[in-house]
Amino acid sequence: MPIYNAPTKDMQFILHDMLNVAASDIPGYADLDRDFTGAILDEAGKIAGQVLAPLNPVGDSQGCVLENGVVRTPDGFKAAFDEVREGGWTGLDMPEEFGGQNMPYIMGITITEMFSAANMAFAMYQGLTHGAASAILVHGSDQQKATYLPKMVSCEWTGTMNLTEPHCGTDLGLMRTRAEPQDDGSFRISGQKIFISAGEHDMADNIVHLVLAKIPGGPEGIKGVSLFIVPKFIVNEDGSLGARNGVSCGKIEEKMGIHGNSTCVMNYDGATGWLLGEEHKGMRAMFTMMNEARIGVGVQGLAQADAAYQNAVAYAHDRLQGRDVTGDKNPDGPADPLIVHPDIRRSLMDQKSFIEGARAFTLWGAQLIDRAHRGKDDEADNMISLLTPVLKGFQTDLGFQMTIQAQQVYGGHGYIEETGMSQFARDARIAMIYEGANGVQALDLVGRKLGLNGGKTVMAFFNLVKDFIKQNEANEALKKGYLDPLKAASKDLQAAGMYFMAEAMKNPNNALAGSNDFMHLFGHVCLGLMWAEMAKASYSALDAGTSDTEFYQSKLATGRYYMARHLPATAMHLARIRSGAEPVMALEAARF
Amino acid sequence: MPIYNAPTKDMQFILHDMLNVAASDIPGYADLDRDFTGAILDEAGKIAGQVLAPLNPVGDSQGCVLENGVVRTPDGFKAAFDEVREGGWTGLDMPEEFGGQNMPYIMGITITEMFSAANMAFAMYQGLTHGAASAILVHGSDQQKATYLPKMVSCEWTGTMNLTEPHCGTDLGLMRTRAEPQDDGSFRISGQKIFISAGEHDMADNIVHLVLAKIPGGPEGIKGVSLFIVPKFIVNEDGSLGARNGVSCGKIEEKMGIHGNSTCVMNYDGATGWLLGEEHKGMRAMFTMMNEARIGVGVQGLAQADAAYQNAVAYAHDRLQGRDVTGDKNPDGPADPLIVHPDIRRSLMDQKSFIEGARAFTLWGAQLIDRAHRGKDDEADNMISLLTPVLKGFQTDLGFQMTIQAQQVYGGHGYIEETGMSQFARDARIAMIYEGANGVQALDLVGRKLGLNGGKTVMAFFNLVKDFIKQNEANEALKKGYLDPLKAASKDLQAAGMYFMAEAMKNPNNALAGSNDFMHLFGHVCLGLMWAEMAKASYSALDAGTSDTEFYQSKLATGRYYMARHLPATAMHLARIRSGAEPVMALEAARF
């Protein structure tokens, strides 16, 4: 059975040593002292490790079963969901008025990481509910909020997002689902939605579907899309559940992974729905929560990588195979443990340095969201808009790669389902696809976010890196091991940006053909910046005479690895970008 | 249902335009004229596309079932195996005296690619039999050859390789399986072997297990390992089948992929076996066929990438989503096909340029094997020994990555098992692991093959690249687009080799920590060389006034892409290598 130990110590390091959250002026952050966050992380970690992780292989092997319109979730899921609900974990960062605990988003995201790492398919039921509740919170009428939010914050009712149709995913303007206005102000929703995670299941009394549909006579394409609330059971005025609505699960998809989550084909047959937000402004309502949803997916990449990594480490300590060429490490045993071998070490360091860097990036991103929303800070809002496609795309691409590397440490045993290593990879794979496939993230980054605010936001990012380097380069150790490589990587990123500006004028494809490389280049610079900041924090702790020197020295070593072994990718991405559209587009479509 | 079209035209291009096989002095090559090879490839392609490919998803969804000691293969596998046998495809490159057709290995490997691409799990039954037959061919007594080979060449009997035990994979010296000598010259084999592909099934009358075991009293460790023939049914002197031997399948493993192949736990309970080759020289007997077996696995990486790529191309033409930013390509439709988008194009070009380069590399490698074995050429033997870990490790790593990219083209639909894109990735994954995990390939390359023949072999490789560049740089177009990038990449490879020589003296881990990067660097230089040779062949054909200008111009464009977009990886690998062992080994084992 795979293990999972919540990385509470590392999270505490990022929250306090690096981000110094308790000293922040963001509303709500003053409460986040080390003891407080530590207590929350410890408790959440217990649920993750003891309740959710043991159910992860169960969910994978049993999957969800549709019988007579009812979806049965895997054994133990319902009881675990009750435990999560009862612990108050579902409304951590939701407003108190609806039963939440009103903590900052940064605390919510730490829990998301733990729960996703322990059991991604399970955590999605809660995650989608959170997303749907956020949409109602921002765009709903007072009555809608009162009707749905208390039950959704507690996860007595769960939520879904209905965007995709069989013929349209990214290009939602092609949507066919219709919403016919009724005399009572409601709408009759008809159409088919696919890939609806948690679309139907047996763990909640009601399911609140948020459905994108077109009101006849509205604008063509994406501008004519509206968002509707379509509950599985109509909610009576007194809050009790009324009639079954005209929505049903037609099929559960057979997927590569996340078997414990029911991915449904949902049929809307004249179902009753209510407009959420304004007519034809459905995409805007969706986009409001897009940054959060995408960061949530970026976290899944990191989370699966960490779960897989922890098991790879355990196996590398345990499995005896071959000898250390520099001298036996286990002379009394028949062989040395795998971890003595440099190539195993290389793989584990790849994983560790990515995971810890990505965790810091994620929490910094979450802090920007808190600053934007709680602190009403537009610059922070722009910055997180810029970084969101990087967080989502880069972290899920690398996260998946790291699950593959972790699986590889097991040799043949990694290919056998019994060890659980295959599941981490298969589950992590979806994060590269949903919530906007990573190619779309790259397009968003290059096509929209680079030009955000007239390019001022990306300039602000460059300045942030530059200023950090300038302010800290008096520290010789920091400069040589961390700041110099970061400076070189950042130069590559700026050069790529310059290339796009100059060459996209001639042909927009010169930028688009490099979008994927740019997203990865950007991701490495972000993680390089995180490692520089973490190194600074580690030196500070060591200088201050911390008793836990091992922890901080490990941080420094891990960061040095990132700089030496991950960051050289930036020059490669730049070279690819600079080759432009010609090699990419030279072959006619018919010649593939 | 996924499609598969055998790449006969591309194989013909490599065999004739690039390698000019019919003009080779290798014994048997004179027969390989364009019509002859074309006829074989066409026929094999039909079997692959029409018989094997349709069974691929069947094998994946049904898997193999063990009931009362009998393993049931998926529906249709037995009939297809009969068809393959009847077509004579199993003994193509085996000696005529045992019923084979005595064709060069290079022809065998083209068929291996096609069958593996169409149905990897199925092709393994045949592939393992080929490997076991090769071992008997080289090391067996005349009687053993006469007893087993005719039936194995025809695949009436299949074969297996039994190396791994629960506690030992790579480190076979830890093996526990015992072989007790009997008075009649046979041995009683007792022990457990795991991960035995095609270990038990219902498609052959007998199964010939080749089993590594230790004879009591022999040398310790790997030097005391011998190889045995252990048939499922004892073969009587008249060739008929006798008693059931003491070998049985204890379990079929649940795996991530290749479900159509039965991966068995094999229990040997005093089974009767006969020594193959010399006592305690079992590893030597195994290694004889290692180059071929590893190239066969390298082909699987390329084959799965091609199968996945072909489907991704079809989907990219078919699926309408979004618009070409440079102008609508399908103005009468609701959207343009995916293939207009530069990032989709980038992904498909990544795949195509890898696949075609790897195919050329594979066939060049097969030609080296033919030159070594048929032409008794020691230099060719050394060269293919050097290149084998690259062919296996690099091609399966990249091959898997490409199946992931192909799957990504499908968006959410790629994650649904129905489209078959998940299977390509799940099946391809094993090729990175078995027949020596890729970390072991990298270790073999750096630890053994670099020093082969006192370093003369790797120098011969560098000279081969240098000479090719020198001989062809008068061609300006070839020089700029292909030779210059190849020269730069080759310089990176040599610099890495120099680094190893200088730094491994101080600490062997300086080389071992860079082994994986070195294998990838080497792979890119090999594919760069292949593309330069293919570009030269294409220019020649165009200069000679070929009527098929589109084909050759597509080759040139695809090669240009490889040079511009894949080759920049070499500098990154070099930078990683040069950072040495320090960042890799700095963290103590206990701190992971």
Side-chain angles (χ1 to χ4, degrees), chain B residues 259-317:
Chain B
H259 296 156
N261 200 279
S262 57
T263 304
C264 299
V265 174
M266 297 303 294
N267 295 319
Y268 293 86
D269 302 309
T272 303
W274 289 271
L275 187 68
L276 178 59
E278 294 175 51
E279 271 190 18
H280 314 314
K281 299 282 167 69
M283 289 312 293
R284 211 178 64 181
M286 275 283 164
F287 269 106
T288 317
M289 54 194 163
M290 208 66 107
N291 285 346
E292 283 186 35
R294 288 182 169 177
I295 292 173
V297 174
V299 168
Q300 292 177 337
L302 140 70
Q304 290 306 298
D306 190 27
Y309 163 76
Q310 291 187 19
N311 286 280
V313 168
Y315 192 78
H317 278 297

Side-chain angles (χ1 to χ4, degrees), chain A residues 226-256:
Chain A
S226 306
L227 186 60
F228 298 89
I229 300 178
V230 186
K232 177 177 167 184
F233 291 100
I234 306 285
V235 184
N236 298 323
E237 285 203 7
D238 65 357
S240 64
L241 295 184
R244 184 75 154 82
N245 205 347
V247 48
S248 60
C249 169
K251 184 187 167 191
I252 295 188
E253 305 283 2
E254 296 277 341
K255 309 184 299 291
M256 187 177 184

Side-chain angles (χ1 to χ4, degrees), chain A residues 166 169 171 254 256 319 321-322 404 407-408 415 417 426 429 432 550 560 565 576 580 582 591, chain B residues 166 169 171 254 256 319 321-322 407-408 415 417 426 429 432 550 560 565 576 580 582 591:
Chain A
D171 191 351
E254 296 277 341
M256 187 177 184
R319 175 85 169 173
Q321 209 79 178
I404 294 294
Q407 183 186 25
Q408 189 75 12
Y415 199 64
E417 292 293 353
R426 290 184 290 98
R429 181 68 185 90
M432 297 160 68
E550 275 196 340
R560 234 164 36 237
R565 294 257 173 172
R576 287 181 180 164
E582 197 282 331
R591 301 300 305 166
Chain B
D171 192 350
E254 297 275 343
M256 186 178 184
R319 175 85 169 172
Q321 208 82 178
Q407 184 187 24
Q408 189 74 13
Y415 199 65
E417 293 292 353
R426 289 184 291 98
R429 182 68 184 89
M432 296 161 67
E550 274 196 340
R560 240 172 21 244
R565 294 256 173 174
R576 287 182 181 164
E582 196 282 331
R591 302 300 305 166

Side-chain angles (χ1 to χ4, degrees), chain A residues 412, chain B residues 120 124 197 258 297 300 392 427 429-438 441:
Chain B
M120 180 164 154
M124 288 170 65
S197 299
I258 51 167
V297 174
Q300 292 177 337
K392 196 279 184 183
D427 286 359
R429 182 68 184 89
I430 189 59
M432 296 161 67
I433 299 172
Y434 63 16
E435 204 59 43
N438 286 356
Q441 302 298 330

Side-chain angles (χ1 to χ4, degrees), chain A residues 58-330:
Chain A
V58 177
D60 188 55
S61 61
Q62 291 189 1
C64 294
V65 180
L66 172 66
E67 271 172 5
N68 305 321
V70 177
V71 171
R72 201 170 62 238
T73 51
D75 290 347
F77 268 42
K78 191 166 186 329
F81 205 43
D82 286 341
E83 202 166 333
V84 168
R85 279 190 274 245
E86 281 155 23
W89 296 107
T90 62
L92 205 74
D93 55 359
M94 283 290 178
E96 282 175 334
E97 100 181 85
F98 301 114
Q101 299 185 50
N102 202 32
M103 281 186 213
Y105 177 69
I106 199 169
M107 289 311 295
I109 205 83
T110 59
I111 314 303
T112 300
E113 185 196 320
M114 292 182 187
F115 287 10
S116 292
N119 195 327
M120 180 164 154
F122 178 92
M124 288 169 66
Y125 292 97
Q126 177 182 349
L128 284 154
T129 309
H130 191 282
S134 297
I136 296 174
L137 193 62
V138 177
H139 299 282
S141 64
D142 287 345
Q143 196 204 335
Q144 286 172 335
K145 289 188 207 174
T147 303
Y148 298 104
L149 285 182
K151 297 285 190 183
M152 292 177 79
V153 165
S154 68
C155 271
E156 285 166 272
W157 300 352
T158 61
T160 71
M161 303 288 187
N162 292 242
L163 289 78
T164 307
E165 299 184 7
H167 62 288
C168 74
T170 298
D171 191 351
L172 290 168
L174 305 176
M175 182 174 296
R176 291 183 193 144
T177 299
R178 320 283 287 176
E180 302 275 351
Q182 305 297 300
D183 293 344
D184 65 355
S186 71
F187 289 78
R188 277 175 64 85
I189 316 284
S190 300
Q192 189 178 64
K193 296 288 182 176
I194 62 169
F195 304 159
I196 308 309
S197 300
E200 179 58 54
H201 60 85
D202 56 2
M203 300 201 295
D205 298 332
N206 201 4
I207 301 177
V208 181
H209 303 288
L210 298 196
V211 184
L212 285 179
K214 286 184 170 173
I215 301 169
E220 283 296 301
I222 198 74
K223 291 181 177 151
V225 167
S226 306
L227 186 60
F228 298 89
I229 300 178
V230 186
K232 177 177 167 184
F233 291 100
I234 306 285
V235 184
N236 298 323
E237 285 203 7
D238 65 357
S240 64
L241 295 184
R244 184 75 154 82
N245 205 347
V247 48
S248 60
C249 169
K251 184 187 167 191
I252 295 188
E253 305 283 2
E254 296 277 341
K255 309 184 299 291
M256 187 177 184
I258 50 167
H259 296 156
N261 199 279
S262 57
T263 304
C264 299
V265 173
M266 297 303 293
N267 295 319
Y268 292 87
D269 302 308
T272 304
W274 289 271
L275 188 68
L276 178 60
E278 294 174 52
E279 271 189 19
H280 315 314
K281 298 281 165 70
M283 289 312 293
R284 209 178 66 182
M286 276 283 163
F287 270 106
T288 316
M289 56 195 162
M290 206 66 107
N291 285 346
E292 282 187 35
R294 290 184 167 175
I295 291 173
V297 173
V299 168
Q300 293 178 336
L302 141 70
Q304 290 307 297
D306 190 27
Y309 162 76
Q310 291 186 19
N311 286 279
V313 169
Y315 191 79
H317 279 297
D318 193 50
R319 175 85 169 173
L320 306 180
Q321 209 79 178
R323 288 292 186 188
D324 187 335
V325 292
T326 65
D328 292 3
K329 289 291 180 295
N330 178 31

